């Protein structure tokens, strides 16, 4: 948990889900884990430890200056868990600090914005988690979820994969692939199994939306061949320097595909 926020948010989601059914000894261990994570993140001001994330180093001042909900929602859940575990108000103060920095009046993504699916996934499942943790700000969490779902579903391809980046046209509800990143090529990914997991988790907050339908499309269309980190669009090929990424099976895709299936069964969305 000393590298990327990805590790923090995934651990927090899992521990929160387990806590209510955990035996006392496991609850005590969870309390110890989340308190340690929270203290560590406070120490480094909620940014990756310099040099520890793929050997990249960020400027702390610039990092904090550009901080927004995309960053803060990684850490707010674990701060809430540490506050629940200890009753120490320092965690509550840090939550307020992040809320004030990002602004509870500010949304994150609006129709018309350039959209990166791999960044957006967590802005569906983490606000869903926050509906449980902090329902007092449910209007904010709901705005994140519906914006991300509305735009995010337009990136799902017929084979269940996902565009990696695109521009969304709010007037037509359609998306156009862009060539941002990945060697300047428009690509797709099997990682949208994470989006499917988020849809299954968030469906309960939006009974009027067919989030489960999108998740099911992804589940039923994907297979081992599509669980790639990135893939070319149909009829295109990756340039030699990016070919390796097209051969890698993505563990996030496989894990989330299984999580989606089992959570969907548990919630009664399918058998």
């Amino acid at each position: 948990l000393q590298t990327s926020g990805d590790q923090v948010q995934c651990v927090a989601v899992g521990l929160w889900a387990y806590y209510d059914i955990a035996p006392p000894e496991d609850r005590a261990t969870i309390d110890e884990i989340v308190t340690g994570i929270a203290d560590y993140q406070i120490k480094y001001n909620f940014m990756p430890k310099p040099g520890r994330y793929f050997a990249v180093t960020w400027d702390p001042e610039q990092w904090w200056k550009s901080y927004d909900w995309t960053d803060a929602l990684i850490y707010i859940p674990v701060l809430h868990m540490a506050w629940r575990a200890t009753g120490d108000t320092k965690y509550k103060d840090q939550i307020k600090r992040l809320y004030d920095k990002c602004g509870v009046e500010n949304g994150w993504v609006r129709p018309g914005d350039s959209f990166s699916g791999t960044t957006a996934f967590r802005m569906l499942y983490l606000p869903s988690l926050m509906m449980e943790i902090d329902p007092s700000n449910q209007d904010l969490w709901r705005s994140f979820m519906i914006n991300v779902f509305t735009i995010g579903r337009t990136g799902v391809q017929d084979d269940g994969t996902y565009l990696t980046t695109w521009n969304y046209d709010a007037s037509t509800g359609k998306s156009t692939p862009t060539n941002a990143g990945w060697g300047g090529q428009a690509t797709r990914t099997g990682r949208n199994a994470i989006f499917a997991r988020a849809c299954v988790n968030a469906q309960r907050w939006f009974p009027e939306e067919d989030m489960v339908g999108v998740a099911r499309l992804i589940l039923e269309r994907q297979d081992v061949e599509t669980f790639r980190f990135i893939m070319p669009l149909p009829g295109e090929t990756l340039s030699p320097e990016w070919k390796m990424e097209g051969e890698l099976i993505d563990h996030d895709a496989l894990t989330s595909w299984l999580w989606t299936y089992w959570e969907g069964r548990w919630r009664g969305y399918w058998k």
Side-chain angles (χ1 to χ4, degrees):
L1 302 176
Q2 298 180 10
T3 53
S4 74
D6 294 345
Q7 297 172 3
V8 175
Q9 66 190 2
C10 293
V11 168
V13 169
L15 293 180
W16 179 269
Y18 179 52
Y19 195 87
D20 285 344
I21 62 173
E25 60 272 20
D26 284 359
R27 287 192 181 196
T29 300
I30 292 172
D31 289 343
E32 182 179 354
I33 291 171
V34 296
T35 301
I37 294 172
D39 288 342
Y40 183 90
Q41 296 301 331
I42 291 170
K43 177 180 178 180
Y44 288 98
N45 199 28
F46 310 105
M47 66 172 286
K49 186 176 180 180
R52 291 299 298 272
Y53 185 48
F54 295 116
V56 176
T57 299
W58 288 272
D59 175 71
E61 184 175 341
Q62 190 61 35
W63 176 272
W64 182 250
K65 183 178 179 181
S66 62
Y67 217 79
D68 63 12
W69 283 112
T70 309
D71 306 299
L73 276 184
I74 294 173
Y75 304 105
I76 287 173
V78 79
L79 288 170
H80 270 281
M81 294 172 73
W83 180 24
R84 177 180 64 175
T86 66
D88 193 327
T89 58
K90 74 175 182 181
Y91 303 114
K92 180 181 179 181
D93 293 341
Q94 289 295 324
I95 294 167
K96 183 179 185 304
R97 177 170 170 257
L98 291 177
Y99 277 31
D100 290 345
K101 175 66 175 67
C102 300
V104 295
E105 74 284 356
N106 295 330
W108 172 70
V109 64
R110 297 160 299 280
D113 285 349
S114 179
F115 195 77
S116 171
T118 53
T119 300
F121 297 145
R122 66 172 173 258
M123 298 308 289
L124 181 54
Y125 64 76
L126 288 178
S128 179
L129 176 63
M130 291 304 298
M131 290 286 283
E132 299 181 40
I133 293 177
D134 181 15
S136 66
N137 282 303
Q138 64 175 293
D139 288 346
L140 177 63
W141 314 138
R142 289 178 63 86
S143 73
F144 288 141
M145 288 187 283
I146 196 62
N147 280 341
V148 170
F149 174 70
T150 298
I151 302 176
R153 63 183 171 185
T154 68
V156 181
Q157 304 296 284
D158 289 342
D159 64 353
T161 60
Y162 208 61
L163 297 174
T164 55
T165 56
W166 67 89
N167 288 321
Y168 174 77
D169 186 336
S171 64
T172 64
K174 296 184 181 300
S175 294
T176 304
T178 65
N179 295 334
W182 307 117
Q185 294 176 268
T187 54
R188 59 199 174 99
T189 178
R191 304 193 82 202
N192 62 316
I194 306 173
F195 183 65
R197 176 173 72 81
C199 286
V200 164
N201 189 260
Q203 177 68 85
R204 57 201 159 128
W205 311 118
F206 296 92
E208 72 281 6
E209 300 289 342
D210 188 19
M211 295 182 173
V212 165
V214 174
R216 187 162 195 147
L217 185 154
I218 294 169
L219 277 180
E220 293 180 347
R221 300 289 177 83
Q222 283 192 317
D223 55 29
V224 173
E225 288 306 308
T226 59
F227 287 132
R228 307 292 181 178
F229 190 69
I230 61 167
M231 295 167 285
L233 292 176
E236 300 181 7
T237 57
L238 293 172
S239 57
E241 65 269 25
W242 291 101
K243 200 168 183 62
M244 176 62 75
E245 278 73 10
E247 296 173 352
L248 293 174
I249 299 293
D250 190 282
H251 71 278
D252 287 330
L254 290 169
T255 302
S256 293
W257 193 95
L258 290 169
W259 187 327
T260 303
Y261 171 73
W262 286 109
E263 182 168 353
R265 285 192 62 172
W266 178 67
R267 294 191 183 278
Y269 296 146
W270 48 69
K271 296 182 180 179

